[in-house]
């Protein structure tokens, strides 16, 4: 199957401290790749490099067959329009209502002008995440789980080909975490999007992953399905799966 | 010690470079497709109309106090009839633009710095950026232009209300009729009193918007940086207004009054 993301030998340092020491990974079309690892191992930095938020020191990142580091400003904007990014705390625009949050990328990225189409797509995105009745609320009126759903709706509204999830279940209770994880899975079915999911939550990894990559000390040290890694004889890898 | 100084100088030049890049991206984005007219109008409302009360009160008190303070001195020389002339010229040329802009720096630059700083800290600006939208065009261009348009208008309102304050001050001290007061005020004003002051208030407005946006965008992660952004925006905008005013006064003296 075709690769939509290809990362090769990615290196990045901050103030002399090497965070990424040669990451290589691929994501296939329609695949959910979960990236596991302790805090500070560079998982979030990796996906920020994928969307060009951070420029790597070395290495290659190909997204949808385009080398991210070689794109000009407009080309980067165009490719970003095909990628969705769900931030850890959803990053909702807090001065706008849910409706305006959803209309924002439609008007500015997809240049949709027709108000009826904007309304229809907003409702559709909210229904996909089970938040249809929240359209006129302000972000401050939403609970933690609802904010994540709302962030997901804003990501989905542009129908991205790739979705990058930065710790989608952090700060949520167990039941809501499972709901969000199932939602991620249903979104893959509905939108046929490929995803990288950064998480610490093993329940989220088990529900969503087609394949898991484990990062440690700035490198990918293991790769496989949930079951393969769960039965690994390596004590470090195994430690993620033990309760 | 030497290393600290070297580091500070390096930081200073880096900051100057960043500001130059920021102002460059502002001008580039004004002329890009997809100008945010609705947001510009909203910002004009927030920056202009919402600052009007404080500007009017300050303007009125300025004229009132200036009159009451100068009246006894002028009376000693039998020159109390010149109070309207003195008040109108000093308000229109200098005090109106500078004090109004300093008030705006306190209210508007801090507001913009805190708002954008908070958006930066909560990753809202990053979210706009990675979605393919243009945060400079939506957040920065609209705010700087709104400040550049609205601060000169606020200065005009403050000038007008200052004259009214001056009249109230004169009449409290048992002075002259309204017709005489305003007639004297306007007869002493010429175009060269008004125009350079208006031009410099445009620059003051730009500075307030630019500094607020730059400090907000520069906020790094952490809630503390939001407070720092708001605070440093007020300080930097105020200092820049005073520096620009000194330059403007020199230029006006040379080119307008030929001194």
């Amino acid at each position: 199957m075709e690769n939509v993301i290809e990362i090769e030998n990615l290196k990045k340092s901050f103030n002399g401290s090497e965070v990424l020491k040669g990451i290589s990974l691929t994501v296939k079309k329609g695949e959910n790749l979960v990236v596991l690892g302790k805090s500070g191992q560079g998982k979030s930095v990796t996906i920020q490099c994928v969307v060009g938020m951070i420029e790597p020191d070395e290495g290659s990142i190909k997204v949808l067959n385009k080398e991210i580091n070689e794109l000009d400003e407009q080309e980067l904007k165009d490719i970003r329009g095909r990628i969705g990014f769900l931030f850890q705390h959803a990053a909702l625009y807090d001065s706008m209502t849910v409706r305006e949050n959803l209309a924002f990328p439609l008007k500015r990225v997809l240049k949709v002008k027709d108000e009826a189409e904007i309304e229809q797509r907003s409702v559709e995105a909210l229904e996909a995440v089970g938040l249809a009745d929240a359209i006129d609320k302000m972000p401050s009126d939403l609970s933690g789980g609802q904010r994540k759903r709302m962030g997901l709706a804003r990501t989905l509204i542009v129908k991205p080909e790739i979705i990058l999830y930065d710790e989608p279940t952090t700060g949520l209770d167990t039941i809501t975490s499972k709901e969000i994880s199932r939602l991620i899975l249903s979104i893959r079915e509905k939108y046929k999007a490929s995803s990288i999911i950064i998480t610490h939550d093993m329940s989220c990894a088990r529900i969503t992953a087609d394949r898991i990559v484990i990062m440690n000390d700035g490198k990918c040290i293991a790769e496989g399905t949930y079951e393969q890694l769960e039965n690994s004889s390596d004590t470090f890898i195994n430690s993620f799966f033990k309760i | 010690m030497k290393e600290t100084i070297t580091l500070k100088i390096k930081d200073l030049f880096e900051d100057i470079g960043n500001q130059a890049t920021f102002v460059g991206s502002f001008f580039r984005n004004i002329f890009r497709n997809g100008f945010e007219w609705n947001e510009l109008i909203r910002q004009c409302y927030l920056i202009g109309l919402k600052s009007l009360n404080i500007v009017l009160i300050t303007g009125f008190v300025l004229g009132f106090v200036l009159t009451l303070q100068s009246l006894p001195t002028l009376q000693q020389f039998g020159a109390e009839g010149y109070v309207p002339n003195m008040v109108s010229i000093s308000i229109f040329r200098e005090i109106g633009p500078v004090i109004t802009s300093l008030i705006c720096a306190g209210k508007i630059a801090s507001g913009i710095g805190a708002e954008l700083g908070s958006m930066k800290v909560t990753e809202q600006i990053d979210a706009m950026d990675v979605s393919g939208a243009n945060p400079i065009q939506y957040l920065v261009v609209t705010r700087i232009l709104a400040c550049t348009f609205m601060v000169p208008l606020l200065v005009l309102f403050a000038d007008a209300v200052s004259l009214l304050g001056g009249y109230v001050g004169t009449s409290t001290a048992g002075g002259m009729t309204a017709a005489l007061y305003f007639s004297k005020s306007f007869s002493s004003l010429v175009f060269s009193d008004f125009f350079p002051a208006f031009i410099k208030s445009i620059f003051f407005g730009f500075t307030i918007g630019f500094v607020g946006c730059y400090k907000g965008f520069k906020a790094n992660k952490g809630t503390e940086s939001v407070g720092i952004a708001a605070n440093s925006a007020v300080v930097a905008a105020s200092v820049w207004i005073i520096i620009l005013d000194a330059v403007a006064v020199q230029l006006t003296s040379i080119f307008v009054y030929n001194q």
Side-chain angles (χ1 to χ4, degrees), chain A residues 185-196:
Chain A
L185 210 56
S186 70
I187 281 165
R188 197 264 300 267
E189 301 308 317
K190 188 171 178 186
Y191 291 85
K192 311 288 178 209
S194 318
S195 307
I196 297 181

Side-chain angles (χ1 to χ4, degrees), chain A residues 53 80 92-94 108-109, chain B residues 36 124 128-131 133:
Chain A
M53 277 169 78
R80 280 174 172 176
L92 302 180
Y93 309 136
D94 51 18
R108 285 156 187 92
V109 181
Chain B
E36 299 280 353
Q124 293 175 52
M128 273 185 199
D129 206 11
V130 297
S131 73

Side-chain angles (χ1 to χ4, degrees), chain A:
Chain A
M1 202 179 283
E2 173 196 357
N3 288 334
V4 288
I5 299 176
E6 289 175 14
I7 300 174
E8 237 176 86
N9 196 31
L10 189 67
K11 291 183 181 173
K12 180 68 192 174
S13 301
F14 293 101
N15 301 321
S17 159
E18 207 174 8
V19 178
L20 301 180
K21 298 177 181 172
I23 298 281
S24 296
L25 58 86
T26 56
V27 180
K28 292 182 169 47
K29 193 169 185 179
E31 182 185 38
N32 276 354
L33 176 76
V34 167
V35 179
L36 286 177
K38 292 190 292 179
S39 297
Q41 300 303 310
K43 304 184 297 292
S44 296
V45 173
T46 306
I47 57 169
Q48 285 173 1
C49 287
V50 170
V51 284
M53 277 169 78
I54 295 176
E55 202 178 321
D57 299 333
E58 229 177 276
S60 145
I61 305 167
K62 268 191 182 173
V63 180
L64 300 166
N65 294 320
K66 299 226 163 116
E67 181 64 51
I68 288 289
N69 304 327
E70 291 169 4
L71 300 179
D72 63 28
E73 203 179 334
Q74 189 53 51
E75 288 171 328
L76 186 61
K77 271 192 190 308
D78 293 343
I79 202 103
R80 280 174 172 176
R82 299 166 68 186
I83 304 171
F85 196 113
L86 182 68
F87 284 82
Q88 195 173 340
H89 302 290
L92 302 180
Y93 309 136
D94 51 18
S95 61
M96 303 180 198
T97 62
V98 166
R99 186 192 299 273
E100 288 163 342
N101 261 276
L102 293 170
F104 191 89
L106 279 182
K107 286 180 180 171
R108 285 156 187 92
V109 181
L110 299 187
K111 311 284 180 202
V112 180
K113 298 266 186 276
D114 181 24
E115 289 296 330
E117 188 186 345
I118 291 171
E119 179 70 13
Q120 181 238 319
R121 287 177 75 159
S122 302
V123 170
E124 191 184 307
L126 284 175
E127 277 171 355
V129 299
L131 261 186
D133 54 346
I135 195 158
D136 289 315
K137 287 187 178 173
M138 293 300 286
S140 56
D141 299 329
L142 303 176
S143 67
Q146 285 175 321
R147 289 175 71 87
K148 288 270 160 106
R149 285 169 185 271
M150 171 53 211
L152 205 45
R154 195 181 62 189
T155 306
L156 291 175
I157 201 159
V158 293
K159 301 203 166 118
E161 291 162 62
I162 297 168
I163 305 177
L164 307 172
Y165 297 89
D166 191 1
E167 307 203 11
T169 57
T170 297
L172 300 177
D173 62 86
T174 319
I175 295 169
T176 314
S177 292
K178 281 184 181 164
E179 281 173 12
I180 295 288
S181 304
R182 289 194 195 100
L183 189 57
I184 291 171
L185 210 56
S186 70
I187 281 165
R188 197 264 300 267
E189 301 308 317
K190 188 171 178 186
Y191 291 85
K192 311 288 178 209
S194 318
S195 307
I196 297 181
I197 302 152
I198 305 284
T199 188
H200 295 285
D201 178 0
M202 293 313 293
S203 153
C204 172
R206 188 168 48 79
I207 295 170
T208 58
D210 294 319
R211 193 160 52 97
I212 296 177
V213 165
I214 296 181
M215 276 176 71
N216 190 38
D217 196 26
K219 289 178 182 166
C220 295
I221 57 157
E223 186 182 329
T225 62
Y226 187 92
E227 289 73 24
Q228 284 168 343
L229 295 174
E230 189 180 25
N231 297 321
S232 166
S233 55
D234 186 297
T235 48
F236 178 75
I237 294 168
N238 208 251
S239 66
F240 283 95
F241 298 85
K242 276 185 186 163
I243 298 168

Side-chain angles (χ1 to χ4, degrees), chain B residues 11-250:
Chain B
D11 285 349
L12 178 71
F13 278 102
E14 202 175 294
D15 196 45
I16 291 169
N18 288 338
Q19 289 192 37
T21 311
F22 197 73
V23 84
S25 66
F26 160 73
F27 282 112
R28 261 201 322 277
N29 278 287
I30 294 178
F31 304 105
R32 280 223 169 120
N33 277 344
F35 188 85
E36 299 280 353
W37 288 104
N38 288 343
E39 182 62 9
L40 175 67
I41 292 164
R42 196 176 79 90
Q43 287 304 325
C44 285
Y45 167 74
L46 291 175
I47 287 166
L49 205 60
K50 295 271 179 177
S51 308
L52 195 57
N53 283 350
I54 189 171
V55 164
L56 292 182
I57 292 167
T58 314
F60 183 85
V61 173
L62 265 179
F64 183 76
V65 170
L66 190 63
T67 304
L68 290 188
Q69 292 280 15
S70 53
L71 202 57
T73 313
L74 289 173
Q75 269 170 344
Q76 285 177 11
F77 299 99
E80 62 267 35
Y82 287 104
V83 167
N85 311 50
M86 193 211 74
V87 169
S88 59
I89 288 175
S90 51
I91 291 284
F92 269 80
R93 274 194 194 178
E94 190 60 32
I95 301 174
V98 173
I99 299 291
T100 308
S101 300
L102 288 174
I103 295 286
C104 289
K107 187 180 183 298
I108 301 166
S110 64
I112 294 175
E115 186 192 10
L116 298 192
S118 152
M119 287 183 78
K120 185 79 197 273
V121 167
T122 54
E123 296 177 316
Q124 293 175 52
I125 293 176
D126 289 337
M128 273 185 199
D129 206 11
V130 297
S131 73
N134 185 340
I136 298 283
Q137 198 169 36
Y138 183 75
L139 298 171
V140 176
V141 169
T142 53
R143 278 162 180 76
I144 295 180
L145 286 181
C147 287
T148 312
F149 297 149
M150 298 318 284
V151 169
L153 290 179
L154 289 170
V155 168
L156 287 182
F157 279 110
D159 288 349
V161 172
S162 289
L163 291 187
L164 187 66
Y167 165 68
V168 174
T170 319
S171 57
T172 318
M176 53 188 81
T177 62
L180 182 61
Y181 181 89
F182 287 109
S183 156
K184 273 175 167 275
S185 295
F186 288 115
S187 67
S188 58
L189 286 173
V190 289
F191 185 68
S192 60
D193 292 321
F194 163 77
F195 189 67
F198 184 75
I199 298 294
K200 78 179 171 188
S201 58
I202 292 175
F203 282 95
F204 293 163
F206 175 83
T207 304
I208 291 166
F210 172 76
V211 170
C213 290
Y214 177 72
K215 296 291 181 186
F217 260 65
K218 226 184 90 179
N220 44 29
K221 310 289 174 189
T223 45
E224 193 191 19
S225 64
V226 177
I228 293 171
N231 188 272
S232 59
V234 178
V235 174
S238 304
V239 170
W240 271 113
I241 285 167
I242 289 163
I243 293 170
L244 283 174
D245 186 53
V247 174
V249 168
Q250 281 300 319

